[in-house]
Amino acid sequence: MTTKNLLVELFVEELPPKALKKLGDAFAGVLFEQLKAQGLTAADAALTSFASPRRLAAHVTAVAVQASDKAVSQKLMPVAVGLDAAGNATPALLKKLQALGADASAVAGLKRAPDGKAEALFYDSTVKGATLVEGLQKALLEAIAKLPIPKVMTYQLADGWSDVKFVRPAHGLVALHGSEVVAIEALGLKAGNSTHGHRFEASVDPVVLKDADSYAATLKKDGAVIASFAERKAEIARQLTAAAAKVGGGVKAIEDDALLDEVTALVERPNVLVCEFEKEFLDVPQECLILTMKANQKYFPLLEASGKLSNKFLVVSNISPANASAVIQGNERVVRPRLADAKFFFDQDRKKTLASRVEGLDKVVYHNKLGSQGERVERVRAIAKAIGQQLGGDALAQQADQAARLAKTDLVTDMVGEFPELQGIMGRYYALNDGLSADVADAIEDHYKPRFAGDELPRNQVGVVVALADKLETLVGMFGIGNLPTGDKDPFALRRHALGIVRMLIEARIPVELDALIEIAVSAFGSVINNPTAEVQKFVYERLRHYFRDVDRGVQTEYRVVEPSMYSSFEIDAVLSLNPQRLAEVESLMHAVMVFAALPEAPALAAANKRISNILKKADTVDPHVSEVLLKEPAEIALYASLRDVVPKANAQFESGDYTASLQSLAALRAPVDAFFDGVMVNAEEMDLRLNRQGLLKSLHDAMNRVADLSRLAA
């Protein structure tokens, strides 16, 4: 099969920058898969995608002019339907063959083969391979149809009558197989061999492409465009580093991959320039300045080695004039009002204390069924005080109450009204300005943490208490009014809140039971909601499972950084099936079970435990009491003696928190347990013997399953 390389490009008006990378990958990926599915690509064909603000393109190696013919065996119908008693074709069979382009002469060549319980007729034929024109036309239309377009535009074509729907108006289509144009159409355009380069800096227009392989090089040389998204991104990163080094003083451009992707999608020929603003703006919290430069202007702030913001920033321009001073001055002029607004908001906000803003929260609606933010704050305060009292007495309860009372007040400040992303951050600055303690100020910022997977926890105990209270209030409140997450929809981020609770309880080692925390939160609502305790607890345990199965967690524990394979699914199920109330101890329980599972006695004891569980399930309520008088068989006498010897030691180790040693002590029961099942009939005919033996097994079961349900380890 003779092959050549293929290039397809759609030239369009400026595409949505935040969606460009996804659009480019989807366009090229679907096009390639469609060509592959039609047999038009060689086995070693390779794909290269291109995406710039004004184009989506794909380069595919080893594409044939026509796919190879394919032998196809098609099932027609059961033999009993297709042939009569004399073996002649029925009208139904002849009609089916006619639909496939065959006639009665094909009947003799039909094959019989088993198909389930019956025998069926199969028609063997050769299907001609698709031509490149046919296959590429189909592939292109499929690629366009499957683009993940955020919003579709409808626009008129040149004839003034027809209209087309696409992400942005398309003005050009290139399709080259080697150096030959492939005659395809899409979006009212016919394919050619020319495209357009940079709006202002292309040396020629249109840019004529000699062949598919010269696409990127020709666009760069004649069109002043770097067509590859990845290459353009790497070039911007290189220029950012070089520009920062040129500024000197150890400054570095802020690292933000999402911003880098967005800027890559805004320029076709990047040119990084150094700009600056007045130093007086540095009196404003740097988070405000950084946010406005990144979000509104797409600039890269420069940070000093200490992490402090400098008054210089980097601009990624789409033009490269000989004298860039006008571009630099223009960007400096544009950013100045933004920074002045931030300074104004900061100065105005500091004229009122956070405490004076508490009443304003009563006017902010939280949820129509749960009241205002003011009412919510009172619930969070009640929860925080109760948790603080348990963890640190009156002192911690008082600090937690103060932080919870003020935690949401920055929502009614001018700065957070303009930049909602700064909630909590500005609260900390304003709290310090009001003379509050560092612990309370930090807690005001940190009560939103952890905000996402891998985020840091609150930096002090006050922050942990208020963060727990805030997340518990949200979970219980939303579950109480029936606002549950469904599928991939979780508008109130309840999964994130539950995972945050799990992380804080485990990683901050909070010695409070989960049921007690949920009960505290439920009581804070009074009669406002239905009691959702069971549902919330189940939901948190689901997040707990995800926490231990999360391959990206990498959390430093008492033992080591948890690797993806550290705990098996059996070990996780064994511990979590008992719904441990103190999540701070779950890590230790997991470790103990992991160590136990590696012991040679573990498989036999796990299997025995499973057997005991099944026996006890079939019995009525079993009393773990054992009467020594009723112990008759040597094996049951020996097991009872072993229990009396081993269990007190294992229980003492369990109570002291040494779960690993507790399970290791129980491993000594393997031999007497095996002997018991080999030599004792549990369900004896005499009722008193049967109940006594069930009681013995119940005692054994209770002793073995304090750390985890060991039967879950049985394969």
Side-chain angles (χ1 to χ4, degrees):
M1 185 169 68
T2 305
T3 64
K4 296 178 184 177
N5 295 343
L6 175 73
L7 184 282
V8 178
E9 183 207 66
L10 262 179
F11 180 77
V12 298
E13 292 182 15
E14 278 74 3
L15 293 160
K18 290 186 178 179
L20 179 64
K21 189 174 186 296
K22 192 181 292 185
L23 289 171
D25 291 343
F27 177 78
V30 173
L31 191 80
F32 180 66
E33 289 303 321
Q34 287 292 314
L35 292 172
K36 192 176 176 182
Q38 296 177 77
L40 286 164
T41 59
D44 60 347
L47 169 69
T48 304
S49 67
F50 299 93
S52 82
R54 298 200 298 158
R55 70 200 75 240
L56 299 173
H59 180 273
V60 184
T61 62
V63 178
V65 175
Q66 183 165 3
S68 302
D69 296 343
K70 287 175 65 176
V72 177
S73 181
Q74 188 171 351
K75 177 186 169 185
L76 300 178
M77 57 188 66
V79 172
V81 177
L83 301 176
D84 58 21
N88 297 317
T90 62
L93 178 59
L94 294 174
K95 186 175 181 181
K96 181 70 173 177
L97 288 170
Q98 186 179 6
L100 295 173
D103 54 25
S105 63
V107 174
L110 297 181
K111 290 183 179 178
R112 296 186 180 198
D115 182 51
K117 294 182 179 179
E119 195 177 26
L121 294 170
F122 290 83
Y123 174 60
D124 292 342
S125 61
T126 301
V127 177
K128 196 168 185 62
T131 65
L132 179 57
V133 173
E134 297 166 345
L136 183 57
Q137 182 68 63
K138 179 183 176 183
L140 178 59
L141 294 178
E142 190 74 9
I144 291 172
K146 289 187 174 180
L147 279 178
I149 299 174
K151 289 183 181 178
V152 176
M153 286 183 65
T154 301
Y155 60 94
Q156 282 190 331
L157 298 179
D159 61 15
W161 296 98
S162 310
D163 59 34
V164 172
K165 291 183 178 181
F166 194 52
V167 59
R168 291 291 185 271
H171 297 294
L173 175 62
V174 175
L176 289 173
H177 188 231
S179 58
E180 297 174 8
V181 174
V182 184
I184 58 172
E185 299 180 10
L187 304 175
L189 303 166
K190 292 185 177 181
N193 66 344
S194 65
T195 183
H196 301 276
H198 196 285
R199 279 192 185 276
F200 311 111
E201 301 194 348
S203 58
V204 295
D205 188 57
V207 176
V208 178
L209 303 170
K210 184 179 70 173
D211 54 39
D213 291 345
S214 64
Y215 174 71
T218 303
L219 258 182
K220 185 182 286 188
K221 176 176 171 288
D222 296 339
V225 169
I226 300 175
S228 165
F229 188 96
E231 184 183 344
R232 212 163 53 253
K233 182 177 178 179
E235 174 61 16
I236 293 172
R238 185 195 66 77
Q239 289 191 37
L240 289 171
T241 302
K246 190 175 179 181
V247 171
V251 297
K252 288 179 63 177
I254 198 164
E255 293 182 10
D256 188 326
D257 201 57
L259 177 62
L260 184 56
D261 277 345
E262 189 173 359
V263 170
T264 303
L266 286 168
V267 299
E268 292 194 307
R269 187 187 185 186
N271 178 32
V272 174
L273 303 170
V274 180
C275 303
E276 63 179 48
F277 56 83
E278 290 77 3
K279 288 187 176 181
E280 66 186 68
F281 291 122
L282 293 175
D283 293 335
V284 179
Q286 67 180 47
E287 292 90 344
C288 310
L289 307 181
I290 290 171
L291 181 61
T292 191
M293 284 192 281
K294 285 167 52 178
N296 296 326
Q297 304 303 134
K298 316 305 175 191
Y299 296 157
F300 288 84
L302 287 174
L303 302 179
E304 296 173 357
S306 62
K308 186 179 177 183
L309 181 68
S310 76
N311 71 318
K312 290 184 169 57
F313 59 95
L314 302 179
V315 174
V316 183
S317 173
N318 194 36
I319 54 175
S320 304
N323 182 357
S325 59
V327 179
I328 292 171
Q329 290 167 12
N331 281 283
E332 291 175 347
R333 185 171 62 251
V334 167
V335 78
R336 196 171 292 117
R338 295 282 188 182
L339 303 183
D341 286 346
K343 187 175 187 306
F344 174 78
F345 293 145
F346 184 56
D347 291 340
Q348 290 298 112
D349 287 341
R350 286 183 295 170
K351 292 178 181 178
K352 290 179 67 177
T353 64
L354 290 181
S356 70
R357 298 179 184 274
V358 172
E359 289 185 8
L361 293 173
D362 292 331
K363 301 174 184 176
V364 180
V365 176
Y366 169 56
H367 191 283
N368 61 350
K369 293 182 180 179
L370 297 174
S372 67
Q373 280 286 2
E375 292 171 293
R376 181 175 183 235
V377 163
E378 290 304 310
R379 293 192 292 265
V380 174
R381 286 180 67 186
I383 299 168
K385 278 180 71 175
I387 298 173
Q389 190 69 44
Q390 287 196 33
L391 293 180
D394 293 341
L396 181 57
Q398 185 178 352
Q399 283 186 302
D401 179 44
Q402 184 181 24
R405 178 172 178 262
L406 303 176
K408 303 295 182 184
T409 51
D410 65 352
L411 295 178
V412 291
T413 62
D414 291 339
M415 185 72 83
V416 175
E418 181 71 16
F419 303 111
E421 302 92 332
L422 296 176
Q423 59 186 6
I425 295 171
M426 295 313 302
R428 176 179 177 276
Y429 280 108
Y430 296 145
L432 292 173
N433 183 70
D434 293 348
L436 300 180
S437 71
D439 282 349
V440 170
D442 290 343
I444 290 173
E445 177 181 351
D446 291 351
H447 84 279
Y448 289 104
K449 296 176 182 177
R451 295 157 296 183
F452 50 84
D455 190 20
E456 60 184 12
L457 298 186
R459 68 198 89 176
N460 61 47
Q461 199 171 29
V462 183
V464 170
V465 170
V466 180
L468 277 173
D470 185 66
K471 289 167 176 56
L472 283 164
E473 193 278 341
T474 302
L475 270 184
V476 169
M478 290 303 165
F479 270 78
I481 60 173
N483 268 351
L484 312 183
T486 55
D488 61 347
K489 293 182 179 179
D490 188 7
F492 295 96
L494 301 185
R495 294 187 183 98
R496 189 184 70 201
H497 284 303
L499 184 57
I501 292 169
V502 166
R503 282 193 58 198
M504 283 186 283
L505 292 177
I506 292 176
E507 295 169 32
R509 303 193 71 79
I510 304 298
V512 181
E513 294 189 353
L514 180 61
D515 268 357
L517 290 174
I518 296 173
E519 187 179 330
I520 289 169
V522 170
S523 64
F525 281 89
S527 60
V528 175
I529 60 170
N530 297 320
N531 190 331
T533 298
E535 294 90 341
V536 172
Q537 188 182 68
K538 180 182 176 184
F539 187 70
V540 173
Y541 279 120
E542 287 174 0
R543 294 302 101 195
L544 183 61
R545 276 177 201 278
H546 283 283
Y547 174 83
F548 280 105
R549 289 174 178 167
D550 185 357
V551 298
D552 295 322
R553 186 161 65 94
V555 175
Q556 180 68 46
T557 71
E558 182 181 349
Y559 307 106
R560 61 186 173 93
V561 173
V562 177
E563 299 296 339
S565 59
M566 183 170 178
Y567 304 123
S568 72
S569 59
F570 296 109
E571 292 158 3
I572 294 171
D573 287 340
V575 172
L576 299 189
S577 63
L578 298 184
N579 290 348
Q581 286 297 308
R582 293 206 169 188
L583 303 196
E585 297 177 354
V586 171
E587 194 81 74
S588 300
L589 297 172
M590 291 279 189
H591 180 76
V593 173
M594 182 183 69
V595 172
F596 173 79
L599 296 176
E601 297 89 349
L605 283 174
N609 204 347
K610 192 170 186 178
R611 185 175 177 181
I612 294 168
S613 297
N614 291 333
I615 291 171
L616 296 177
K617 279 179 188 175
K618 295 175 183 177
D620 294 329
T621 304
V622 177
D623 183 357
H625 175 74
V626 177
S627 171
E628 291 187 59
V629 177
L630 293 174
L631 297 173
K632 303 295 185 183
E633 301 292 339
E636 62 182 330
I637 294 171
L639 176 58
Y640 180 66
S642 296
L643 281 175
R644 292 184 65 178
D645 179 49
V646 170
V647 171
K649 179 182 176 184
N651 283 345
Q653 290 164 331
F654 179 90
E655 296 301 337
S656 69
D658 193 349
Y659 307 123
T660 302
S662 179
L663 285 179
Q664 288 175 327
S665 295
L666 292 171
L669 294 173
R670 177 189 172 175
V673 168
D674 287 347
F676 176 87
F677 281 115
D678 288 340
V680 178
M681 172 69 70
V682 176
N683 292 323
E685 290 186 8
E686 297 91 337
M687 180 61 72
D688 55 350
L689 289 181
R690 183 193 308 170
L691 293 177
N692 200 55
R693 287 168 183 172
Q694 288 176 353
L696 181 61
L697 291 182
K698 175 67 171 161
S699 299
L700 174 62
H701 186 268
D702 291 348
M704 291 178 65
N705 292 287
R706 294 194 73 185
V707 172
D709 181 357
L710 299 184
S711 67
R712 301 292 180 113
L713 300 178

